Amino acid sequence: MPELPEVEVLVRHLAPLLKGRRIGVVQVRLAKVVRPDSPRRFAQALRGARFRAVSRRGKYLLFHLRPAGQGGALTLTGHLGMTGRMYLLPAKTPLPRHAAVVLGLGRQNFIFEDSRRFGRLTLAAAPRRNLGPEPLESAFALRPFVAALRQSRQAIKVKLLDQSLLAGVGNIYASEALFRAGIAPALPARRLSESQVRRLRLAIRAVLRQAIAGGSTVPLNYTGQGASDRLFYFGRAPGAPDYYEERLQVYDRAGQPCPRCKTPIRRRVQAARSTYYCPRCQRA
DNA sequence: CACCATGTTCCTTG
DNA sequence: CCAAGGAACATGGT
């Protein structure tokens, strides 16, 4: 489920539920997801710790903890990979098949589940990866963005997935932002005009903000297996309105009419990933 | 069976 | 050294 908006919505959902809660029993059921920590060290560090806050950096979740015993601070860093989920369940509920880590919180468990096992939950202090600016903060300034794009021959769609350029845009919102900006996905980054870069920057921000707003407004079902999960990955709460149909303009809509000009949306492959675009609204 | 999937890292090639 | 492309990771849905 993970691009910046989904992670942000999840962070907002989890923060009030976790704040102040104390971790009891720690179960690492899939050692791989806590690497490079060992399951033992991971469990030992977390037992007795208390959640203070939850935040986000790019697609990473940051759990700020106060460890058991004497002072200090501890950060638990999570990444959902492709299929990771995090949620609370009553402690008496049987664990889901793909529960990778379970943190006991008294009458509830905090579950990190990940069927495809690309996700991580580690003590390693924050991503040691080079992350670009947060797209929704002032750090995402026009000049450096222009300068960075000017240096790359990569197709702009592919470049947008580079987390050192910008943190948090993934395959879905890269297509969405380019559609909104009216820019052809195959255009080499350095070939964008100054005004195109300006439009793209605004489009990225608008698309991400809208997705966060949508996800924060609609009651979501964070735990369900939901047949209609679609792209919010959690599914909506029973009875909640189905707004997912309208949420994405081009992603996964090959053959459907462009919402702006009715030309059929196309799918093409770039860097081994699907890109969706309108050949008319996004001419090279 | 074939193909596709929201992500990141590592290896190879140029 | 860098940029770019592809495979690998592992599992499930259609």
Side-chain angles (χ1 to χ4, degrees):
Chain A
M1 64 158 222
E3 286 186 39
L4 185 153
E6 290 77 29
V7 176
E8 177 65 24
V9 170
L10 179 59
V11 163
R12 292 183 190 185
H13 171 76
L14 289 176
L17 299 177
L18 291 177
K19 185 171 178 158
R21 306 288 294 273
R22 198 172 67 83
I23 299 171
V25 176
V26 176
Q27 291 179 65
V28 178
R29 310 175 84 237
L30 196 66
K32 182 189 172 204
V33 312
V34 303
R35 277 194 327 209
D37 308 326
S38 73
R40 169 186 306 215
R41 191 176 115 62
F42 179 87
Q44 194 169 3
L46 291 180
R47 192 174 312 120
R50 232 176 245 284
F51 285 95
R52 300 178 57 195
V54 187
S55 64
R56 178 189 61 72
R57 176 76 173 100
K59 301 173 192 173
Y60 292 84
L61 298 105
L62 304 178
F63 299 92
H64 307 277
L65 302 158
R66 180 180 300 117
Q70 280 315 307
L74 181 63
T75 303
L76 187 60
T77 301
H79 195 292
L80 299 168
M82 296 273 264
T83 52
R85 292 177 167 191
M86 294 181 184
Y87 50 84
L88 298 179
L89 277 186
K92 60 189 178 195
T93 310
L95 293 177
R97 172 138 76 110
H98 297 292
V101 174
V102 181
L103 306 181
L105 302 174
R107 72 184 63 166
Q108 286 176 311
N109 286 325
F110 173 83
I111 312 272
F112 173 41
E113 157 193 87
D114 187 4
S115 63
R116 220 166 140 185
R117 307 183 184 186
F118 290 168
R120 289 288 180 275
L121 189 61
T122 72
L123 299 168
R128 53 195 157 300
R129 204 157 167 285
N130 210 29
L131 287 183
E134 282 295 319
L136 297 179
E137 292 177 8
S138 57
F140 181 31
L142 179 62
R143 293 321 311 174
F145 191 45
V146 170
L149 294 186
R150 199 172 280 158
Q151 288 180 320
S152 173
R153 307 165 187 274
Q154 256 181 335
I156 184 62
K157 154 63 165 46
V158 176
K159 190 65 188 167
L160 286 178
L161 301 179
D162 176 354
Q163 301 297 295
S164 67
L165 171 72
L166 194 66
V169 172
N171 202 41
I172 295 175
Y173 296 105
S175 282
E176 293 295 312
L178 287 168
F179 171 72
R180 186 170 178 122
I183 296 168
L187 191 61
R190 57 158 50 165
R191 302 279 299 279
L192 269 72
S193 69
E194 178 109 9
S195 84
Q196 282 180 311
V197 177
R198 198 174 298 125
R199 264 189 290 145
L200 178 56
R201 176 173 166 278
L202 293 175
I204 290 167
R205 294 168 66 107
V207 159
L208 297 178
R209 262 198 304 259
Q210 243 174 49
I212 292 170
S216 308
T217 318
V218 174
L220 297 171
N221 173 11
Y222 288 84
T223 62
Q225 312 303 326
S228 66
D229 271 7
R230 293 288 298 165
L231 291 170
F232 225 95
Y233 317 115
F234 311 109
R236 62 203 150 97
D242 184 2
Y243 91 124
Y244 301 101
E245 297 309 310
E246 305 298 323
R247 219 167 66 81
L248 302 173
Q249 311 249 36
V250 293
Y251 184 81
D252 203 21
R253 289 186 182 275
Q256 297 178 36
C258 164
R260 202 144 65 201
C261 77
K262 308 304 176 205
T263 302
I265 297 299
R266 284 203 196 144
R267 170 184 182 269
R268 59 166 290 170
V269 174
Q270 296 181 281
R273 322 221 33 203
S274 294
T275 299
Y276 298 87
Y277 65 104
C278 171
R280 179 146 175 236
C281 298
Q282 299 171 262
R283 269 190 289 251

